């Protein structure tokens, strides 16, 4: 699921709304350790472009 999530996010990275939607879905499906890996990957690849989206989605994840 982790690799699939990365592939999907790469394909929708042209659109902020789609990126947020797919990232939110991904964190619901992934195991806790995979969520951390995805967060690190997102920050390293898309941190400059979608920092606000990544922060928002993972802030909600870490609270639950």
């Amino acid at each position: 699921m982790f690799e699939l999530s990365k592939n999907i996010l790469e394909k929708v990275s042209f659109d902020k709304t789609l990126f947020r939607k797919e990232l939110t879905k991904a964190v619901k499906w992934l195991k806790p350790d995979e969520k951390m890996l995805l967060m690190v990957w997102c920050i390293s690849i898309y941190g400059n472009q979608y920092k606000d989206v990544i922060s928002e989605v993972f802030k909600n994840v870490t609270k639950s």
Side-chain angles (χ1 to χ4, degrees):
M1 278 307 281
F2 174 67
E3 289 299 323
L4 177 63
S5 298
K6 286 176 26 179
N7 288 335
I8 292 169
L9 290 169
E10 287 172 345
K11 290 178 182 177
V12 300
S13 64
F14 66 92
D15 182 274
K16 188 175 188 173
T17 304
L18 282 175
F19 188 84
R20 175 183 279 117
K21 179 181 176 183
E22 293 302 330
L23 183 58
T24 302
K25 283 198 289 188
V27 297
K28 289 179 182 177
W29 288 99
L30 294 175
K31 299 173 188 174
D33 57 327
E34 291 177 324
K35 289 178 188 180
M36 292 303 295
L37 289 173
L38 186 64
M39 182 176 70
V40 170
W41 179 82
C42 284
I43 291 169
S44 66
I45 304 297
Y46 299 108
N48 291 333
Q49 188 177 6
Y50 295 132
K51 184 177 183 177
D52 57 333
V53 172
I54 296 166
S55 297
E56 176 187 324
V57 171
F58 282 101
K59 178 181 72 172
N60 294 336
V61 169
T62 56
K63 285 183 177 180
S64 47

